[in-house]
Amino acid sequence: MNPPWNIQRTGHAWGGEVEDRWALTPEKIELIEGRLFWCEEDRLNMLGLLLENLGADAAVRFGDPDVWRAAVKSLP
């Protein structure tokens, strides 16, 4: 599933899309072979959900800023 994410610099609460977003959450949080959730789709959906709620400004404060800059620079 690839919903149209609405990721902004600051996060926001969901309004009318809350049920659609809730449907993207895995049934439970699992740790399988050192990874959260069973599949990449679940991990990406959870990342998108958190980014919508928290915003990009919060995300880029985690880790090395040079890694974020390199990732953005690699975009087409």
Side-chain angles (χ1 to χ4, degrees), residues 6-12 50-62 68:
N6 181 14
I7 298 167
Q8 305 294 320
R9 290 196 56 195
T10 58
H12 57 61
L50 289 168
L51 286 170
E52 280 190 338
N53 276 170
L54 294 169
D57 284 2
V60 298
R61 286 174 173 68
F62 284 84
W68 289 100

Side-chain angles (χ1 to χ4, degrees):
M1 190 175 288
N2 190 10
W5 297 110
N6 181 14
I7 298 167
Q8 305 294 320
R9 290 196 56 195
T10 58
H12 57 61
W14 296 307
E17 71 275 291
V18 70
E19 289 184 25
D20 291 336
R21 292 305 193 240
W22 183 254
L24 296 172
T25 61
E27 190 172 321
K28 59 183 177 177
I29 294 178
E30 300 175 298
L31 186 63
I32 298 119
E33 296 179 2
R35 290 182 174 257
L36 288 173
F37 310 116
W38 180 252
C39 65
E40 189 76 5
E41 180 181 15
D42 285 346
R43 289 188 283 276
L44 288 170
N45 282 336
M46 186 57 66
L47 178 59
L49 295 168
L50 289 168
L51 286 170
E52 280 190 338
N53 276 170
L54 294 169
D57 284 2
V60 298
R61 286 174 173 68
F62 284 84
D64 182 347
D66 289 332
V67 172
W68 289 100
R69 289 183 190 103
V72 169
K73 189 176 180 180
S74 74
L75 291 171

